[in-house]
Every structure is written in C-alpha cells, then in structure tokens.
Amino acid sequence: MLKLLEALTRQQKAMVILVLDLGLLPVALFFALMLQNMPSSSLTILGKMLPLIPYVLLGTGGLSYWLGIPRVQLIAYERHAVGLTALVALFAALSAATLCAIFGPKLPAGLFVVFGLIYLLLMVAARAFLLQVVLAVYRRARPRARVLIYGAGNTGTQLAQALKAHDGIDPVAFVDDNKSLQGLVLMGLPVYAPSRISKVVEARRIKRVLLAMPSLSSPKQARIIHRLQNLGLEVQALPSFAQLIGEEALVEKLTPVAPQSFLSRDACDVPLQTNAGSYAGRVVLVSGAGGSIGSELSRQLLACRPTKLVLYELSELALYTIHQELSQHLEGAGIELVPVLGSVTDPRQVRRVLERHKVQVVLHAAAYKHVPLVETNPLPGLANNVFGTQTLASAAAEFGVERFILVSSDKAVRPTNVMGASKRMAELIVQDLASRCDPSGDSSAGRTVFTMVRFGNVLGSSGSVIPLFQEQISRGGPVTVTDPQVKRYFMTIREAVQLVLQAGAEAKGGEVFVLDMGEPVSILQLARQVIEAAGYSLRDADHPEGDIAIEIIGLRPGEKMQEELTLSSELIRTAHPKILCAREAVLSEIEVAAFMRALRQAVAVGDEKGARQIILRWVEGYVQADRDRKTS
C-alpha cells in the first residue's frame, strides 16, 4: 500500500480526490431526499433528476478544480480549505435547485439546503478519513518516534496539534508542573505530573522529551533538562513562537556580563608614558605568552614598540592563538614576532632562545596557578613554578638580560597551598639573584635587574571565579561558593598587566611591587552579583521560586579564608599612587641553594611528603592544609 501511495504523482492524487468529491455528490443528494417527507420514494425522484446530475457534476468539478481544492494536501486541509469546500457545496446546491426549477422535477427549496450541508460534511469527512488511512499506512511501514511533551500550555498544545499529523513523530502524553492541568486530557493526550515521568516513559516506551516551556527561565529549563537526561532521555527544547518570528530575542543571543563590571572599585589606570622606553627598541620575551596574563602582556607590549617579541609557550593551541591574533596587528609596525614552543624548565632550550634572539627583557608569566590542581599534583607544580623560574632567571643573568620581571601572586604570602608556596619559592630565587646583582656588572649575577610583581585574583582570567560562576549559571546552577566568609582581592587583566610593565620599567633591583587593590571582596556577594547581572534571581529559603541557588561546598585543600599582599606591614609608596613596594626578608644564597638541592632530590624520586616538608621548612608562614597534616 505504501509503495502505491508513493508511486502516485501529485496530479494523480489530485484527480483521485476530485473523483471522490464528485462521487459523493449523488450520495449526498440521495441522503437529502431520504431526510425529506416526499410524495414519491427517494430513488424515484433521484431517477427523475438523473439527466440533470451530469451538468451539476460538470459545474461543481470545474469550480473545485479552479479553486485548487483537490490539490490541497490532506495534512494541510484546514480552515481555509474547508471554506472553499463550503463554496463548492453551495454552488452544487444552487445549480441543482436552478436546473430542477427550470427542467423539473419541482422540489422544495429546503431539500437543496440539506443537500448542500450533507455534501459539505461528506467531503470534509472523506478527507479526514483518508488522512487517517494514509497515516496508518505510514505508521505501519515506518516506525514513529514516541515523544513526551513537557509543558501543556499554549506552546505545548500547539506543538501536539502539529505533531498529530506528522508521519514520523507520535506525541504520547503531556507533563506539566501546573497541578490544575494534571489529570486532564488535552488534544487527546493525558497530562501527568513530573513525578510520574519515569513510570510514563517506561510504560509507553518513550525515548525523547520535547520541552515546550519557552517562558521558563534558562536556569530552570537547564535543571529540567539535566533531570530528564539522567533518566536516559533525549531532550529537545522548543523556542517560543515570539522568538521564532523575531519579536523576542533568542536566549542564545544573550552574552555574559564582562567580568570587569564586577570590580568593587574604580579601575586603576597605569599608563606607561615615558617608561615605555624600557621596552621600546628592545627584544622582549614573554614566558607563558598564551595564558591570560601572558597574552595581555604581549598585546600591551606591542604598543611599546619593541624590535622583537618572543612568545614562549608550552601549549601549542595557546601559542597558535596568540600568535595569530598579534600577527594581524603588526603590518607596518616593524616588530618581529617569534613564536617559541617549549617549557621554561628546559635549560638547553631556554639558553638557546635567549642567546639566539639576544633577549634584553624577560617577563616571566609561565606558571601553574590553579590551586586545587597543583595541590593534587604538587611535584609537577613545583617543578614548573620553581625550577622553571630558576632556569629562566639564571639564564637571563648569564646572557646579560637587562630586566627580569617575575609575575607573582598574593597566594605566595604565608601560603596554605603548594601553588602559593611554589610562587613564594620562585620569589626567593629572584630575590637571591637580585641581591647578588651589581648594576655595574662586577658581580656573579651580572647586570640584570631582577624584580617581581605581586597581585590578587584577576577578573576574567582562565580558571578564575567569575567565568566559573557564569558557566554554572548557564547550566542552571547551583553556583558554588567555598565559604560564606571567604574574601579575595580582585583586579582587571588590564590593571595587572599595566602594573607589571610599569613596575618592570621602574625597578632598580630586588623590589616586590604590589598594587593597592582596595578592600577584599566577599565571594558570596560576588556570586549574587553575577547571578543578578545575568538577569536571574537568587533562589534561597526566602525566595524558593528563584532561578539560581548558591551552594556552600566548604574550603578546598590549601585554600585560605582571606589572602594577604605582604609578609610585613611595611609598604613604601612609589611614583605611582596605586603601586606600592614591600620590604621583606630574603634568604641567603646558601639557603636558597640548600632548599633547591633538597627540592630537586624530592622531585626526582617522586617524594611528595618530602617536598611538602621542604616547603614547611623554608617558606615563611607556610601552614599545611589539613590533608597534608594527616598524611605527614
């Protein structure tokens, strides 16, 4: 049967419908005669009208074909087509009445009214019946996808109406949170409560759910989708009809609020001005050039017009991305851009790069900075952050690099985690080299000016809190906060980079520069701001109908309640009001050599416990996390 249906052309199908319509005309006339109280039998009167019927058929068929009624698809036969069919039925009744009035037999006018109504009903019913037959043929020949519609509102019911005539999709039931709808039958489909989804899915062999609640906020939709996917269901969300016709913006067009807008103070502007001369016309190397800080350093350095910018990066993708970006801005600038793929822990490569390109300024931003990851993997973190700094800094001194600027972190101050301890050890290495440096060139450390810049969390950097919050919001929440009392210092990437470049230009050797970043920010309050900035409401005990909840998960291993910027309270003002210089105690050359020798041995044999003991001994203020103390 399916092959026969598919073999028919569109014209042939239209002729079948036309013949069917014309065949129903005498049938309708016969039924009309039967319903009337006539002096003769219905068949007798129909026989007397027989000579007139061909003319009625000819006129009715011509009008129907001219109006295009036979060419209307069965699945598309709706209100407009029914109206045209009514016009054809009216014409058939009027033409039959006119011919009978002229040529006889004489019949009451009411007969033709009944005839027209019956003819209209028969034509509409015939199409409805044929549609069901055709759908049944397709259903038997092709299996249909059984779907559950989540949402029995306007969008859901209109979707069910559209799918009922679909030859590949079979809507089975509705699910809706509205208790007043549960238990009803809409569009021939029962409405169930969400709690019964698993039973309905199993009983009715459903594999897909169509989410038809476009007015629901994105986080709430995300939670529903996540719950349905956990049941092994495929979920598809339907946009609203207002979105489809462009009257309402689609959710995908919404963009996250820029992280810089969450800074709780006015952003500091630290223009390089005349200090740009420290980088102009020089060969500058940026380690970790593909990271958040390294890439912004590279961008701002282009404005200082160095002769050559060496991008040193371990990640191939990150190096490719920043190299492609910067290459687009170098036309006519006279700046040579050199991408170098490698690790700062490789002494041979570091020495080769410094020597080959005659590097004059090094900005060392390469580091593992994610606290929980380094806490879980302490040896690779120490190797990269500590050994990498010593390798690059020592080579810089050996090859007479003019300036070496270490990008450090506030987590280096009295650290409670391995990442912060590794950054403090990197600072001690740079401070040691600076203490042995004589700008006149009469020392073992050569003429290099060593300095470091220490700052807090950078808004919007990779792995930072705001992108994490925004990602959690896009998944429907919850937003996770470690502790209600946790506070952090924040600055923008632009501020951080301006500080590094300014400090590097002003440095005389051995300074620890920090930025006046104002008061620390509550992470809990920041989470609320990010939720509200995304256009959603907070869900808590006072507002159970809100969009996004905040979940307190507890401090992770190695995390502090509040970070510090200096080991001492002694801060010295510099030429810029927002840049401070800290005076801190340093280790001697012998002490630095001792902890480096012990640390290299611990890393070489894979001794995590020994590495933590070395940190505990040599890093001032280091406090082991609870997990460390339990395993010590």
Side-chain angles (χ1 to χ4, degrees):
M1 187 67 175
L2 179 61
K3 292 182 179 179
L4 176 61
L5 287 175
E6 292 179 338
L8 291 175
T9 64
R10 179 68 59 193
Q11 188 65 26
Q12 289 172 332
K13 292 176 181 178
M15 291 307 298
V16 169
I17 296 296
L18 180 60
V19 170
L20 176 63
D21 285 346
L22 295 178
L24 290 173
L25 190 148
V27 175
L29 186 58
F30 176 73
F31 279 118
L33 288 169
M34 288 184 64
L35 294 174
Q36 296 294 311
N37 186 15
M38 305 297 292
S40 303
S41 67
S42 301
L43 288 176
T44 301
I45 298 174
L46 188 61
K48 293 178 180 180
M49 294 181 63
L50 197 58
L52 305 178
I53 290 177
Y55 297 101
V56 178
L57 290 174
L58 183 62
T60 302
L63 178 63
S64 179
Y65 191 82
W66 181 71
L67 292 174
I69 295 175
R71 293 188 293 275
V72 177
Q73 290 181 301
L74 294 175
I75 199 170
Y77 187 79
E78 294 178 348
R79 186 181 306 171
H80 178 69
V82 172
L84 295 177
T85 305
L87 186 62
V88 171
L90 176 62
F91 174 83
L94 290 175
S95 60
T98 302
L99 290 173
C100 285
I102 297 173
F103 300 104
K106 303 296 182 179
L107 298 171
L111 169 69
F112 298 102
V113 174
V114 174
F115 161 62
L117 292 173
I118 293 176
Y119 188 33
L120 171 62
L121 292 175
L122 287 177
M123 286 191 288
V124 173
R127 281 167 170 78
F129 175 75
L130 284 178
L131 176 61
Q132 295 305 314
V133 170
V134 171
L135 290 177
V137 170
Y138 276 102
R139 287 169 186 168
R140 292 191 63 179
R142 299 173 180 171
R144 305 179 79 201
R146 298 171 63 81
V147 300
L148 182 70
I149 300 177
Y150 200 119
N154 290 334
T155 303
T157 53
Q158 291 180 58
L159 175 63
Q161 176 65 30
L163 293 180
K164 276 185 173 294
H166 197 282
D167 59 0
I169 301 176
D170 184 17
V172 173
F174 288 109
V175 168
D176 202 287
D177 299 314
N178 190 342
K179 293 183 179 180
S180 64
L181 295 177
Q182 295 167 10
L184 299 179
V185 175
L186 302 176
M187 305 301 298
L189 305 178
V191 183
Y192 295 103
S195 59
R196 296 190 59 188
I197 288 180
S198 58
K199 293 181 180 179
V200 174
V201 165
E202 183 179 356
R204 297 185 175 239
R205 305 186 307 280
I206 297 170
K207 297 296 183 183
R208 182 181 302 177
V209 178
L210 303 179
L211 185 58
M213 302 180 73
S215 60
L216 207 62
S217 66
S218 296
K220 290 181 179 178
Q221 286 194 36
R223 289 198 297 273
I224 293 173
I225 292 171
H226 182 68
R227 188 168 70 246
L228 294 172
Q229 288 175 338
N230 287 339
L231 295 175
L233 296 168
E234 179 184 348
V235 185
Q236 293 176 314
L238 190 75
S240 68
F241 292 100
Q243 290 171 341
L244 290 174
I245 64 175
E247 292 182 359
E248 181 182 333
L250 289 171
V251 174
E252 286 74 17
K253 294 180 182 178
L254 299 177
T255 55
V257 179
Q260 289 77 4
S261 62
F262 298 107
L263 198 63
S264 60
R265 54 176 172 80
D266 293 333
C268 300
D269 189 17
V270 193
L272 282 174
Q273 299 173 348
T274 57
N275 288 313
S278 299
Y279 310 101
R282 287 172 168 75
V283 179
V284 181
L285 180 146
V286 179
S287 70
S292 302
I293 298 297
S295 58
E296 182 64 20
L297 276 169
S298 303
R299 295 183 194 101
Q300 293 197 28
L301 278 168
L302 292 184
C304 299
R305 306 190 69 81
T307 56
K308 184 186 294 187
L309 181 58
V310 181
L311 307 174
Y312 202 113
E313 173 59 53
L314 178 62
S315 167
E316 179 188 24
L317 176 60
L319 180 61
Y320 172 80
T321 301
I322 188 62
H323 181 254
Q324 288 294 107
E325 177 190 336
L326 297 183
S327 297
Q328 299 175 9
H329 304 287
L330 291 182
E331 187 174 352
I335 302 174
E336 182 182 355
L337 200 61
V338 182
V340 177
L341 187 64
S343 170
V344 291
T345 61
D346 184 345
R348 292 183 179 180
Q349 184 178 30
V350 167
R351 290 164 56 87
R352 184 167 60 249
V353 170
L354 293 180
E355 183 178 23
R356 176 181 298 174
H357 298 289
K358 296 180 172 53
V359 174
Q360 295 167 285
V361 179
V362 172
L363 292 148
H364 180 38
Y368 292 153
K369 63 178 185 178
H370 195 273
V371 171
L373 282 181
V374 176
E375 200 66 24
T376 307
N377 303 273
L379 298 184
L382 289 165
N384 187 72
N385 295 358
V386 180
F387 300 160
T389 299
Q390 187 192 45
T391 298
L392 187 57
S394 299
E398 179 182 349
F399 289 97
V401 170
E402 294 177 10
R403 293 179 179 274
F404 182 97
I405 302 103
L406 169 68
V407 177
S408 190
S409 166
D410 60 353
K411 293 177 176 59
V413 180
R414 281 182 275 273
T416 58
N417 53 74
V418 175
M419 194 287 288
S422 69
K423 296 298 288 184
R424 178 54 187 158
M425 296 174 94
E427 289 181 351
L428 291 171
I429 291 168
V430 173
Q431 287 174 320
D432 172 53
L433 287 170
S435 67
R436 292 186 278 132
C437 173
D438 181 359
S440 66
D442 301 327
S443 75
S444 60
R447 301 178 302 276
T448 305
V449 173
F450 289 95
T451 192
M452 62 211 76
V453 185
R454 187 188 290 159
F455 47 78
N457 294 269
V458 177
L459 290 169
S461 64
S462 61
S464 62
V465 67
I466 290 180
L468 173 62
F469 286 169
Q470 291 174 333
E471 180 186 357
Q472 290 173 335
I473 290 171
S474 69
R475 296 199 307 263
V479 169
T480 57
V481 174
T482 55
D483 191 281
Q485 305 303 319
V486 166
K487 293 183 178 181
R488 293 288 183 267
Y489 290 103
F490 284 101
M491 64 189 310
T492 67
I493 290 181
R494 179 178 176 81
E495 281 181 310
V497 168
Q498 287 177 339
L499 172 62
V500 170
L501 295 178
Q502 180 78 8
E506 292 184 0
K508 304 300 181 183
E511 302 95 336
V512 177
F513 290 103
V514 298
L515 175 66
D516 181 2
M517 293 184 289
E519 296 298 319
V521 176
S522 166
I523 301 299
L524 182 61
Q525 181 60 32
L526 183 64
R528 291 194 182 101
Q529 291 176 347
V530 176
I531 292 171
E532 292 169 358
Y536 303 121
S537 58
L538 177 65
R539 187 171 82 252
D540 55 19
D542 297 328
H543 305 90
E545 297 301 319
D547 298 317
I548 303 290
I550 295 178
E551 180 181 348
I552 306 300
I553 60 174
L555 288 175
R556 295 171 294 186
E559 284 191 321
K560 298 168 70 174
M561 293 293 289
Q562 185 168 332
E563 302 291 355
E564 304 170 86
L565 290 175
T566 64
L567 286 165
S568 67
S569 57
E570 187 177 358
L571 291 173
I572 302 172
R573 292 285 178 182
T574 65
H576 192 283
K578 290 293 183 179
I579 299 178
L580 309 173
C581 183
R583 289 188 181 275
E584 297 179 350
V586 299
L587 298 181
S588 68
E589 179 180 354
I590 296 176
E591 289 173 319
V592 171
F595 82 66
M596 284 299 297
R597 183 168 55 252
L599 187 61
R600 286 190 181 278
Q601 184 177 357
V603 172
V605 299
D607 185 4
E608 289 188 11
K609 181 179 177 180
R612 294 179 191 274
Q613 289 299 320
I614 293 167
I615 296 173
L616 187 62
R617 178 181 178 185
W618 294 106
V619 175
E620 180 184 352
Y622 175 69
V623 179
Q624 286 183 299
D626 290 341
R627 189 189 66 178
D628 298 342
R629 288 194 289 269
K630 291 176 183 177
T631 57
S632 296

mmCIF file of all heavy atoms in Angstrom, residues 454 489 512-517 564-574 578-584:
data_model
loop_
_atom_site.group_PDB
_atom_site.id
_atom_site.type_symbol
_atom_site.label_atom_id
_atom_site.label_comp_id
_atom_site.label_asym_id
_atom_site.label_seq_id
_atom_site.Cartn_x
_atom_site.Cartn_y
_atom_site.Cartn_z
ATOM 1 N N ARG A 454 53.485 41.385 42.530
ATOM 2 C CA ARG A 454 52.558 40.504 43.244
ATOM 3 C C ARG A 454 51.172 41.147 43.254
ATOM 4 O O ARG A 454 51.028 42.309 43.615
ATOM 5 C CB ARG A 454 53.057 40.303 44.675
ATOM 6 C CG ARG A 454 52.294 39.286 45.501
ATOM 7 C CD ARG A 454 52.777 39.346 46.941
ATOM 8 N NE ARG A 454 54.127 38.838 47.106
ATOM 9 C CZ ARG A 454 54.916 39.128 48.137
ATOM 10 N NH1 ARG A 454 54.486 39.927 49.090
ATOM 11 N NH2 ARG A 454 56.123 38.620 48.218
ATOM 12 N N TYR A 489 41.097 39.633 46.965
ATOM 13 C CA TYR A 489 41.418 40.852 46.240
ATOM 14 C C TYR A 489 41.215 40.599 44.745
ATOM 15 O O TYR A 489 41.525 39.521 44.244
ATOM 16 C CB TYR A 489 42.881 41.255 46.479
ATOM 17 C CG TYR A 489 43.156 41.746 47.876
ATOM 18 C CD1 TYR A 489 43.784 40.921 48.809
ATOM 19 C CD2 TYR A 489 42.813 43.035 48.258
ATOM 20 C CE1 TYR A 489 44.054 41.369 50.093
ATOM 21 C CE2 TYR A 489 43.086 43.494 49.542
ATOM 22 C CZ TYR A 489 43.696 42.659 50.457
ATOM 23 O OH TYR A 489 43.962 43.099 51.720
ATOM 24 N N VAL A 512 59.657 44.076 45.569
ATOM 25 C CA VAL A 512 58.403 43.332 45.444
ATOM 26 C C VAL A 512 57.309 44.388 45.310
ATOM 27 O O VAL A 512 56.972 45.081 46.274
ATOM 28 C CB VAL A 512 58.136 42.436 46.674
ATOM 29 C CG1 VAL A 512 56.786 41.741 46.525
ATOM 30 C CG2 VAL A 512 59.247 41.413 46.847
ATOM 31 N N PHE A 513 56.795 44.534 44.105
ATOM 32 C CA PHE A 513 55.757 45.531 43.856
ATOM 33 C C PHE A 513 54.381 44.905 44.080
ATOM 34 O O PHE A 513 54.123 43.776 43.672
ATOM 35 C CB PHE A 513 55.842 46.052 42.422
ATOM 36 C CG PHE A 513 57.046 46.909 42.173
ATOM 37 C CD1 PHE A 513 58.152 46.411 41.500
ATOM 38 C CD2 PHE A 513 57.084 48.225 42.619
ATOM 39 C CE1 PHE A 513 59.260 47.202 41.260
ATOM 40 C CE2 PHE A 513 58.193 49.028 42.382
ATOM 41 C CZ PHE A 513 59.289 48.516 41.704
ATOM 42 N N VAL A 514 53.503 45.672 44.739
ATOM 43 C CA VAL A 514 52.114 45.236 44.920
ATOM 44 C C VAL A 514 51.207 46.397 44.535
ATOM 45 O O VAL A 514 51.624 47.549 44.529
ATOM 46 C CB VAL A 514 51.825 44.796 46.369
ATOM 47 C CG1 VAL A 514 52.677 43.608 46.750
ATOM 48 C CG2 VAL A 514 52.044 45.953 47.341
ATOM 49 N N LEU A 515 49.955 46.070 44.241
ATOM 50 C CA LEU A 515 49.001 47.083 43.839
ATOM 51 C C LEU A 515 48.023 47.344 44.976
ATOM 52 O O LEU A 515 47.567 46.420 45.641
ATOM 53 C CB LEU A 515 48.220 46.609 42.602
ATOM 54 C CG LEU A 515 47.083 47.511 42.117
ATOM 55 C CD1 LEU A 515 47.618 48.832 41.602
ATOM 56 C CD2 LEU A 515 46.270 46.819 41.041
ATOM 57 N N ASP A 516 47.719 48.614 45.178
ATOM 58 C CA ASP A 516 46.670 48.974 46.126
ATOM 59 C C ASP A 516 45.332 48.620 45.480
ATOM 60 O O ASP A 516 44.794 49.366 44.669
ATOM 61 C CB ASP A 516 46.751 50.472 46.440
ATOM 62 C CG ASP A 516 45.688 50.894 47.445
ATOM 63 O OD1 ASP A 516 44.929 50.025 47.917
ATOM 64 O OD2 ASP A 516 45.616 52.108 47.741
ATOM 65 N N MET A 517 44.780 47.476 45.854
ATOM 66 C CA MET A 517 43.573 46.953 45.201
ATOM 67 C C MET A 517 42.311 47.220 46.004
ATOM 68 O O MET A 517 41.273 46.623 45.754
ATOM 69 C CB MET A 517 43.727 45.446 44.942
ATOM 70 C CG MET A 517 44.806 45.137 43.910
ATOM 71 S SD MET A 517 44.901 43.375 43.529
ATOM 72 C CE MET A 517 45.598 42.752 45.040
ATOM 73 N N GLU A 564 46.589 37.680 51.636
ATOM 74 C CA GLU A 564 47.361 38.847 52.057
ATOM 75 C C GLU A 564 48.250 39.273 50.899
ATOM 76 O O GLU A 564 48.506 38.500 49.979
ATOM 77 C CB GLU A 564 48.225 38.505 53.271
ATOM 78 C CG GLU A 564 47.440 37.954 54.462
ATOM 79 C CD GLU A 564 48.361 37.403 55.537
ATOM 80 O OE1 GLU A 564 48.807 38.209 56.378
ATOM 81 O OE2 GLU A 564 48.638 36.194 55.516
ATOM 82 N N LEU A 565 48.751 40.509 50.982
ATOM 83 C CA LEU A 565 49.597 41.015 49.908
ATOM 84 C C LEU A 565 51.072 41.104 50.297
ATOM 85 O O LEU A 565 51.939 41.113 49.422
ATOM 86 C CB LEU A 565 49.104 42.397 49.456
ATOM 87 C CG LEU A 565 47.752 42.397 48.709
ATOM 88 C CD1 LEU A 565 47.310 43.822 48.430
ATOM 89 C CD2 LEU A 565 47.871 41.622 47.408
ATOM 90 N N THR A 566 51.371 41.176 51.585
ATOM 91 C CA THR A 566 52.771 41.298 52.007
ATOM 92 C C THR A 566 53.029 40.464 53.250
ATOM 93 O O THR A 566 52.117 40.165 54.026
ATOM 94 C CB THR A 566 53.134 42.764 52.329
ATOM 95 O OG1 THR A 566 52.355 43.202 53.435
ATOM 96 C CG2 THR A 566 52.880 43.660 51.135
ATOM 97 N N LEU A 567 54.300 40.098 53.438
ATOM 98 C CA LEU A 567 54.718 39.380 54.635
ATOM 99 C C LEU A 567 54.896 40.344 55.806
ATOM 100 O O LEU A 567 54.882 39.939 56.964
ATOM 101 C CB LEU A 567 56.034 38.650 54.370
ATOM 102 C CG LEU A 567 55.921 37.394 53.490
ATOM 103 C CD1 LEU A 567 57.291 36.975 52.984
ATOM 104 C CD2 LEU A 567 55.269 36.268 54.261
ATOM 105 N N SER A 568 55.090 41.612 55.505
ATOM 106 C CA SER A 568 55.235 42.627 56.552
ATOM 107 C C SER A 568 54.250 43.746 56.279
ATOM 108 O O SER A 568 53.667 43.846 55.199
ATOM 109 C CB SER A 568 56.668 43.188 56.566
ATOM 110 O OG SER A 568 56.913 43.921 55.367
ATOM 111 N N SER A 569 54.049 44.598 57.259
ATOM 112 C CA SER A 569 53.119 45.720 57.093
ATOM 113 C C SER A 569 53.814 46.942 56.517
ATOM 114 O O SER A 569 53.193 47.987 56.330
ATOM 115 C CB SER A 569 52.486 46.080 58.447
ATOM 116 O OG SER A 569 53.501 46.394 59.392
ATOM 117 N N GLU A 570 55.107 46.794 56.213
ATOM 118 C CA GLU A 570 55.887 47.945 55.744
ATOM 119 C C GLU A 570 55.757 48.067 54.228
ATOM 120 O O GLU A 570 56.285 47.262 53.466
ATOM 121 C CB GLU A 570 57.363 47.787 56.131
ATOM 122 C CG GLU A 570 58.187 49.030 55.830
ATOM 123 C CD GLU A 570 59.629 48.885 56.282
ATOM 124 O OE1 GLU A 570 59.969 47.833 56.852
ATOM 125 O OE2 GLU A 570 60.399 49.820 56.058
ATOM 126 N N LEU A 571 55.041 49.085 53.787
ATOM 127 C CA LEU A 571 54.860 49.350 52.370
ATOM 128 C C LEU A 571 55.358 50.745 52.045
ATOM 129 O O LEU A 571 55.101 51.711 52.779
ATOM 130 C CB LEU A 571 53.383 49.223 51.978
ATOM 131 C CG LEU A 571 52.789 47.809 52.024
ATOM 132 C CD1 LEU A 571 51.280 47.857 51.792
ATOM 133 C CD2 LEU A 571 53.448 46.911 50.978
ATOM 134 N N ILE A 572 56.057 50.865 50.945
ATOM 135 C CA ILE A 572 56.644 52.140 50.539
ATOM 136 C C ILE A 572 55.926 52.633 49.288
ATOM 137 O O ILE A 572 55.719 51.864 48.338
ATOM 138 C CB ILE A 572 58.154 51.981 50.250
ATOM 139 C CG1 ILE A 572 58.870 51.430 51.488
ATOM 140 C CG2 ILE A 572 58.752 53.315 49.808
ATOM 141 C CD1 ILE A 572 60.306 51.065 51.222
ATOM 142 N N ARG A 573 55.561 53.900 49.277
ATOM 143 C CA ARG A 573 54.928 54.489 48.108
ATOM 144 C C ARG A 573 55.940 54.646 46.981
ATOM 145 O O ARG A 573 57.120 54.886 47.217
ATOM 146 C CB ARG A 573 54.340 55.856 48.450
ATOM 147 C CG ARG A 573 53.148 55.784 49.392
ATOM 148 C CD ARG A 573 51.911 55.301 48.666
ATOM 149 N NE ARG A 573 50.771 55.177 49.577
ATOM 150 C CZ ARG A 573 49.588 54.734 49.207
ATOM 151 N NH1 ARG A 573 49.378 54.366 47.957
ATOM 152 N NH2 ARG A 573 48.605 54.638 50.080
ATOM 153 N N THR A 574 55.447 54.539 45.762
ATOM 154 C CA THR A 574 56.306 54.734 44.591
ATOM 155 C C THR A 574 55.814 55.958 43.839
ATOM 156 O O THR A 574 54.944 56.692 44.312
ATOM 157 C CB THR A 574 56.257 53.497 43.672
ATOM 158 O OG1 THR A 574 54.928 53.368 43.148
ATOM 159 C CG2 THR A 574 56.630 52.242 44.437
ATOM 160 N N LYS A 578 49.086 54.160 43.128
ATOM 161 C CA LYS A 578 48.475 52.857 43.326
ATOM 162 C C LYS A 578 49.486 51.712 43.335
ATOM 163 O O LYS A 578 49.113 50.558 43.480
ATOM 164 C CB LYS A 578 47.434 52.593 42.227
ATOM 165 C CG LYS A 578 46.187 53.458 42.342
ATOM 166 C CD LYS A 578 45.387 53.104 43.588
ATOM 167 C CE LYS A 578 44.105 53.903 43.662
ATOM 168 N NZ LYS A 578 43.310 53.547 44.861
ATOM 169 N N ILE A 579 50.773 52.023 43.161
ATOM 170 C CA ILE A 579 51.805 50.997 43.165
ATOM 171 C C ILE A 579 52.630 51.141 44.437
ATOM 172 O O ILE A 579 53.157 52.212 44.743
ATOM 173 C CB ILE A 579 52.724 51.101 41.932
ATOM 174 C CG1 ILE A 579 51.898 50.901 40.654
ATOM 175 C CG2 ILE A 579 53.831 50.062 41.993
ATOM 176 C CD1 ILE A 579 52.703 51.028 39.387
ATOM 177 N N LEU A 580 52.719 50.047 45.201
ATOM 178 C CA LEU A 580 53.455 50.033 46.456
ATOM 179 C C LEU A 580 54.622 49.080 46.352
ATOM 180 O O LEU A 580 54.633 48.160 45.529
ATOM 181 C CB LEU A 580 52.528 49.611 47.598
ATOM 182 C CG LEU A 580 51.205 50.365 47.713
ATOM 183 C CD1 LEU A 580 50.329 49.728 48.784
ATOM 184 C CD2 LEU A 580 51.449 51.839 48.018
ATOM 185 N N CYS A 581 55.609 49.299 47.218
ATOM 186 C CA CYS A 581 56.784 48.427 47.245
ATOM 187 C C CYS A 581 56.923 47.868 48.659
ATOM 188 O O CYS A 581 56.891 48.612 49.646
ATOM 189 C CB CYS A 581 58.036 49.217 46.859
ATOM 190 S SG CYS A 581 59.528 48.197 46.776
ATOM 191 N N ALA A 582 57.050 46.541 48.749
ATOM 192 C CA ALA A 582 57.128 45.883 50.054
ATOM 193 C C ALA A 582 58.577 45.569 50.411
ATOM 194 O O ALA A 582 59.359 45.158 49.551
ATOM 195 C CB ALA A 582 56.314 44.592 50.027
ATOM 196 N N ARG A 583 58.909 45.761 51.683
ATOM 197 C CA ARG A 583 60.230 45.361 52.182
ATOM 198 C C ARG A 583 60.063 44.041 52.919
ATOM 199 O O ARG A 583 59.357 43.968 53.919
ATOM 200 C CB ARG A 583 60.785 46.420 53.124
ATOM 201 C CG ARG A 583 61.205 47.705 52.445
ATOM 202 C CD ARG A 583 61.915 48.623 53.422
ATOM 203 N NE ARG A 583 62.307 49.873 52.823
ATOM 204 C CZ ARG A 583 63.445 50.044 52.134
ATOM 205 N NH1 ARG A 583 64.281 49.037 51.991
ATOM 206 N NH2 ARG A 583 63.748 51.230 51.632
ATOM 207 N N GLU A 584 60.718 43.016 52.442
ATOM 208 C CA GLU A 584 60.572 41.690 53.028
ATOM 209 C C GLU A 584 61.938 41.029 53.186
ATOM 210 O O GLU A 584 62.865 41.282 52.404
ATOM 211 C CB GLU A 584 59.670 40.816 52.160
ATOM 212 C CG GLU A 584 58.249 41.341 52.051
ATOM 213 C CD GLU A 584 57.364 40.485 51.167
ATOM 214 O OE1 GLU A 584 57.890 39.586 50.481
ATOM 215 O OE2 GLU A 584 56.143 40.718 51.164
#
